[in-house]
Every structure is written in C-alpha cells, then in structure tokens.
Amino acid sequence: MTERFQRSRLVELEAENATLRGRLAAVEADLAASEGEAVSVAESERAFRNTLAVIRAIIRHSLVTSRSADDFATHLIGRVDAVARVHQLASNAGSDQHDLHSLIADELLVHLVREGERLHLSGPRILLQPKSAELLALAIHELAANAVEHGALGSPEGEARVTWSVSPPDGQGVPTLAIQWRERGPGGLPRPCHHGFGTEVLKQTLAYALQARAQLEWEETGLSCLIQIPLTSRIGRLTP
C-alpha cells in the first residue's frame, strides 16, 4: 500500500513539475515577446524623432534661403515630399532599408524625368539606413529641382546621368560610396548666381550628418556633382 502510494505520489509530482516547466516556458516566451515589442517601439520612436528633426531643419533652412513666400511654400512642399517618398518606398518594400537605385529613380520621376528616357542610372545595389536615405533623397531632390528650374532638365533635350560605385576600404577599413551626378543639356546655360538650400544640403548637411564630401562643378551643359560617403553600417551596405 505504501509503495503504491509513493509511486502514485511520484507520478503526481512529475506531472506537476512538467506543468510548472510549461508555465515557466510560456512566461519566458511572453517576456521575450514583450522585450521584442519594446525594442521595436523604441526603434520606431527613434526613427520618428530623426525624421522630425530632418523636417524641422528643412523648414528652418527653407525659410532662411527662400527669396519669397511663394518660393518658400513651393520648395518646402517639395522637400517634405521627398522625405515622405523615402518612407513610402520602404513601406512598399516591407523593409526599413532603402534601395539607392529606387530612391533616385522615384525622385526624378516626380519631375517627369523617367529612367531609360532622359535619366540613366548605373551602379551596384546599395541598401541605405533610414536616416542616410532621407538625407540622400533630399540631396537628389535638390539636384533634380535645380536641373529642372535652372539646368539641363529644363530643356526637352536635356538629360541626367547618375552613377555610383563603392571603392575598396581605406586605411580605417571603411569603403567609400561615390555618387556622380552629371547633367547634359543643349549648352549655353547661365551659371546660377544664387546659392540656397540645395547647396547647403550638399556642402554642409551631408558633411555633418554622414561625413560626406560634395564637389560641385558648373558647366555650360549643366551641373556636375560628386558625393563621397564613408559606407559604414550606419550609412548602408553593398549587397549582391
């Protein structure tokens, strides 16, 4: 009787132990899921703050560099839309990273300049992190808007060629992403005498935020711009 009772009790204890282990595993899974949600929320909040900071900077600098209220309103809308398109592009792709090729093509398409017609793109596949994508989209927007208003793309015969490449790592083990913008118009284009928000984005904002270097050269056929960026993991990555 005693042995049967002990065996019965042992079976009960093992069953209770199994139930307890199951409950602990469920609690651990819930905690892991909660931590994952917390990280996701924190990342979303950080991304939102970064985007808000970019938009505030756009508004502030657009106000300073605009020549009139109409000029301010028109360019402000275009610049904010450029940032919004980056988020839409990532949403459509189901990723928080941004394809450089698509980013450039979408921005020029807004200005009715289509790839394969008056726009020629060439380069390896680069996936950009959100902040660097926003700033590069803003830079491409400024180059495109300038080309339409003052440069080669203001003419039906004008075209733009954008190429990019990644050089081997430098002495610090960091490769360089080089983006080359070239306009080709009918010739005889006057040199712009006004340096505004676009120049500031290319020369100062990219340098401060991405440690980039931008070189601008004006030719009679349009603008040439070379942007060089250290391709760290914070900026983006080269993919097959």
Side-chain angles (χ1 to χ4, degrees):
M1 184 71 176
T2 302
E3 290 181 2
R4 286 200 301 273
F5 174 79
Q6 289 177 342
R7 286 197 297 271
S8 176
R9 182 56 181 157
L10 182 60
V11 171
E12 291 176 359
L13 289 173
E14 288 178 346
E16 290 174 359
N17 190 32
T19 300
L20 180 60
R21 287 198 302 270
R23 289 176 178 173
L24 287 173
V27 170
E28 290 176 354
D30 288 343
L31 287 173
S34 298
E35 290 174 355
E37 290 176 359
V39 170
S40 179
V41 170
E43 290 176 349
S44 296
E45 290 179 348
R46 182 167 58 251
F48 175 76
R49 287 195 298 270
N50 287 339
T51 299
L52 191 59
V54 171
I55 292 176
R56 283 173 175 166
I58 290 172
I59 294 172
R60 183 172 61 252
H61 292 298
S62 295
L63 184 61
V64 172
T65 57
S66 295
R67 288 167 286 183
S68 67
D70 288 342
D71 183 57
F72 169 72
T74 300
H75 288 91
L76 177 62
I77 291 171
R79 288 157 184 163
V80 173
D81 283 349
V83 175
R85 279 190 291 275
V86 171
H87 290 271
Q88 186 61 49
L89 180 64
S91 177
N92 293 341
S95 171
D96 62 347
Q97 295 186 320
H98 309 261
D99 180 73
L100 177 61
H101 183 284
S102 299
L103 184 152
I104 298 172
D106 284 3
E107 188 55 46
L108 270 295
L109 187 58
V110 172
H111 298 278
L112 304 181
V113 180
R114 292 176 173 81
E115 183 180 3
E117 296 178 1
R118 295 201 294 151
L119 173 64
H120 308 280
L121 303 179
S122 177
R125 188 165 189 251
I126 304 292
L127 292 180
L128 300 167
Q129 295 292 353
K131 184 176 181 180
S132 54
E134 289 176 356
L135 293 173
L136 279 175
L138 193 57
I140 296 298
H141 168 79
E142 294 301 317
L143 288 168
N146 179 77
V148 169
E149 293 177 14
H150 309 290
L153 296 181
S155 166
E157 296 81 20
E159 63 179 24
R161 184 176 298 275
V162 187
T163 59
W164 58 93
S165 61
V166 177
S167 66
D170 57 18
Q172 297 180 342
V174 179
T176 299
L177 169 63
I179 303 173
Q180 179 73 64
W181 168 284
R182 286 193 177 94
E183 299 173 26
R184 288 294 179 267
L189 294 170
R191 178 185 293 272
C193 58
H194 176 70
H195 298 285
F197 181 81
T199 304
E200 182 172 326
V201 168
L202 292 166
K203 288 286 193 178
Q204 300 179 25
T205 305
L206 292 185
Y208 174 77
L210 306 181
Q211 285 74 58
R213 298 188 305 275
Q215 296 175 305
L216 299 170
E217 294 183 6
W218 179 261
E219 303 170 356
E220 288 190 351
T221 55
L223 183 69
S224 174
C225 177
L226 174 64
I227 302 173
Q228 295 175 296
I229 310 170
L231 192 59
T232 63
S233 58
R234 184 177 68 88
I235 303 300
R237 59 189 176 90
L238 174 67
T239 64

